[in-house]
Amino acid sequence: MRIEDLEYFVTVAKEESLTHAAEKLYISQPSISNAMKKLEETLGVILFTRTSTGISLTSDGEEFLQYANQVLEQIDLMKRRYTTKEQPKQIFSVASQHYPFVVDAFVNLLLSLDTDKYQATLKEMRTYEVIDDVANLKSEIGILYKSRYNRRVIENHIADNNLTFHSLVFNKPHVFLYRNHPLINKKTITLTDLKPYPRLNFEQGTHNSFYYWEEVLGDYDTDKSIIVSDRGTIFNLIIGLNGYTISSGIINNELNGQDIVARPIASDEYIEIGYITNNLHILNPIAELFITELKKIIIPGYQEE
């Protein structure tokens, strides 16, 4: 198996067309077609489903794509290190539901790096997309939560994608409110208390079922509901409309300001926050450092070993 075969395979998988892949790679279509057939023979599996309308990955092909991407990423790092003779960039990507504490950990990670060069990506994504991003090794780590309500669905989805969930902390649900909200002086807030105010939820696209919502207790009926796509908009609507969203209660005032305040909700529900990793991938040192920074923020009394 040649490195070129992996490069050809990844390009064909992306283009979903032998002809388009050949044009992109500046080789003939028969050459790339033969290379893919030989690769399948070498591996003993069928990587592609070929039809008159195009080409798509089989389940074996999707799994092999994860390995191929990982190998090519490592080769790219070696080339940068040993052909340029320069210190390589620290490369890291994390996908997450819309959590302020993930931003905090990301900031702390980059400030702690002893390097002048890095290439880092932080993606705030829908729940389904977080899982998909890690499954396809586009991100090394994904941050999400499980609850009593969604546990079975989320765990099945994670297992089906050959991922592992690593638990970090259990929290009671909290409501995020504007600091001048009429309910702000209540030590514990009930769902009935919240009934007159607009509930804010993150939009989840085609997977917009309660199981994939980023907010626990999402199935509780409310008269006013607003769906938004980003965290900044939610914070603005919390302030402008006396709205609320239900989350972990973990918020950094230094980074997010003093206007948003967390208050506990009276409920027997829980939020289990954790991170997911791909079972086919060994975390890079920078990813391990990020996890340490995350633990410092969300685990009370955490001490580095």
Side-chain angles (χ1 to χ4, degrees):
M1 187 188 307
R2 306 173 303 166
I3 294 173
E4 288 84 357
D5 292 331
L6 299 182
E7 294 172 338
Y8 293 172
F9 168 76
V10 169
T11 304
V12 173
K14 181 179 180 180
E15 296 295 323
E16 297 184 335
S17 165
L18 290 169
T19 301
H20 293 165
E23 292 173 353
K24 195 163 187 176
L25 293 165
Y26 301 103
I27 61 175
S28 68
Q29 193 271 342
S31 294
I32 196 169
S33 180
N34 289 334
M36 293 301 95
K37 288 179 181 178
K38 289 181 180 179
L39 181 60
E40 289 178 321
E41 291 172 0
T42 299
L43 297 172
V45 298
I46 302 299
L47 299 174
F48 296 102
T49 299
R50 298 164 174 84
T51 67
S52 59
T53 58
I55 190 168
S56 60
L57 290 173
T58 63
S59 58
D60 286 325
E62 291 176 351
E63 180 180 357
F64 184 69
L65 179 62
Q66 297 177 26
Y67 285 108
N69 280 329
Q70 187 173 347
V71 170
L72 292 175
E73 287 171 3
Q74 295 301 316
I75 290 172
D76 183 55
L77 288 174
M78 284 193 296
K79 287 179 179 178
R80 295 184 193 185
R81 173 67 178 88
Y82 294 105
T83 59
T84 64
K85 302 299 181 182
E86 295 179 356
Q87 180 184 10
K89 288 182 179 178
Q90 297 280 349
I91 299 177
F92 173 64
S93 178
V94 59
S96 174
Q97 293 175 320
H98 299 76
Y99 290 132
F101 60 79
V102 174
V103 180
D104 296 354
F106 193 77
V107 169
N108 293 343
L109 168 71
L110 298 186
L111 291 175
S112 71
L113 293 180
D114 185 21
T115 179
D116 294 329
K117 298 181 179 180
Y118 56 72
Q119 179 181 316
T121 305
L122 172 58
K123 310 173 190 178
E124 290 192 330
M125 309 178 81
R126 301 162 177 165
T127 305
Y128 191 93
E129 293 169 343
V130 171
I131 297 172
D132 186 67
D133 215 56
V134 179
N136 289 294
L137 288 174
K138 295 177 182 177
S139 290
E140 284 196 79
I141 296 172
I143 313 298
L144 45 73
Y145 85 95
K146 295 188 295 184
S147 67
R148 182 177 288 106
Y149 182 81
N150 74 3
R151 171 178 290 277
R152 180 169 295 181
V153 171
I154 297 298
E155 286 180 346
N156 287 342
H157 191 180
I158 288 171
D160 289 344
N161 282 277
N162 203 17
L163 307 175
T164 297
F165 180 88
H166 309 265
S167 181
L168 291 173
V169 68
F170 283 81
N171 268 19
K172 295 290 292 181
H174 282 65
V175 60
F176 284 171
L177 301 171
Y178 179 41
R179 60 183 174 86
N180 292 330
H181 193 283
L183 299 176
I184 203 65
N185 292 323
K186 291 180 67 70
K187 291 184 178 180
T188 301
I189 294 172
T190 68
L191 292 172
T192 302
D193 292 332
L194 294 169
K195 189 84 170 175
Y197 305 101
R199 182 180 65 197
L200 308 170
N201 296 100
F202 286 110
E203 186 265 335
Q204 297 296 324
T206 57
H207 299 277
N208 199 30
S209 75
F210 291 136
Y211 296 112
Y212 286 97
W213 276 24
E214 296 184 41
E215 303 81 17
V216 292
L217 306 170
D219 57 331
Y220 179 76
D221 183 50
T222 183
D223 295 331
K224 301 174 183 178
S225 178
I226 302 173
I227 306 297
V228 303
S229 60
D230 67 90
R231 184 161 44 84
T233 299
I234 270 196
F235 282 2
N236 288 337
L237 293 176
I238 287 174
I239 296 170
L241 294 176
N242 272 334
Y244 69 92
T245 190
I246 300 173
S247 189
S248 64
I250 305 171
I251 190 167
N252 185 333
N253 289 332
E254 291 183 7
L255 196 61
N256 299 283
Q258 304 289 329
D259 285 334
I260 307 300
V261 179
R263 291 289 183 268
I265 293 179
S267 170
D268 61 356
E269 185 58 278
Y270 65 85
I271 297 174
E272 181 185 7
I273 298 169
Y275 64 94
I276 56 174
T277 56
N278 192 308
N279 297 335
L280 304 177
H281 176 70
I282 298 175
L283 292 182
N284 289 320
I286 191 171
E288 298 283 5
L289 289 174
F290 173 77
I291 293 170
T292 298
E293 294 298 336
L294 196 60
K295 290 178 178 178
K296 289 179 183 177
I297 292 171
I298 70 173
I299 300 178
Y302 173 77
Q303 298 291 328
E304 277 191 73
E305 297 178 357

